[in-house]
Amino acid sequence: MHKISSWDNVVLAYEPVWAIGTGKVATPAQAQEVHAELRKWLETNIKADVAASTRIIYGGSVNGSNCKELGGQQDVDGFLVGGASLKPEFIDIIKAAEVKKSA
Ligand SMILES: O=C[C@H](O)COP(=O)(O)O
């Protein structure tokens, strides 16, 4: 971690392997729990301002139906989208992330 010169250029992604391309998505509570732990780790091991500003995104079977609730979690800052990025519902996922970004 000491080799990172600017945390502004870092995005963390949580992607449960069992959720990638399977249609099985983490529950919003599961995602929030892991993202909060990652942010806590940054606060403890790096700096409080880095913890607050680093984007932590979720990946794994995100789609137009689950993006709003996932994105509504306090520590979910966006998504890593695979299969749904090839479908029209991708616009809903982008919108869900944009609402969070502007909040
Ligand atoms: O890069 C995308 C991730 O591996 C998630 O893929 P998925 O949305 O198809 O599950």
Side-chain angles (χ1 to χ4, degrees), residues 20-54:
I20 299 171
T22 61
K24 296 177 184 172
V25 65
T27 66
Q30 286 172 330
Q32 170 57 26
E33 181 180 357
V34 175
H35 286 224
E37 287 297 324
L38 289 170
R39 206 175 297 285
K40 195 190 301 179
W41 187 94
L42 289 171
E43 185 170 358
T44 302
N45 294 281
I46 309 297
K47 274 198 313 191
D49 64 330
V50 168
S53 62
T54 298

Side-chain angles (χ1 to χ4, degrees), residues 6-82:
S6 174
W7 278 88
D8 290 343
N9 297 325
V10 175
V11 175
L12 294 185
Y14 167 52
E15 260 197 322
V17 66
W18 48 263
I20 299 171
T22 61
K24 296 177 184 172
V25 65
T27 66
Q30 286 172 330
Q32 170 57 26
E33 181 180 357
V34 175
H35 286 224
E37 287 297 324
L38 289 170
R39 206 175 297 285
K40 195 190 301 179
W41 187 94
L42 289 171
E43 185 170 358
T44 302
N45 294 281
I46 309 297
K47 274 198 313 191
D49 64 330
V50 168
S53 62
T54 298
R55 297 185 67 217
I56 305 174
I57 63 176
Y58 171 82
S61 297
V62 174
N63 61 35
S65 301
N66 59 36
C67 60
K68 281 187 184 167
E69 202 176 351
L70 283 166
Q73 302 304 302
Q74 183 177 350
D75 292 297
V76 176
D77 300 320
F79 308 111
L80 188 59
V81 186

Side-chain angles (χ1 to χ4, degrees), residues 63-65 67 83-95:
N63 61 35
S65 301
C67 60
S85 68
L86 303 174
K87 301 175 183 173
E89 66 192 283
F90 190 40
I91 192 69
D92 298 322
I93 300 170
I94 292 169
K95 285 177 181 171

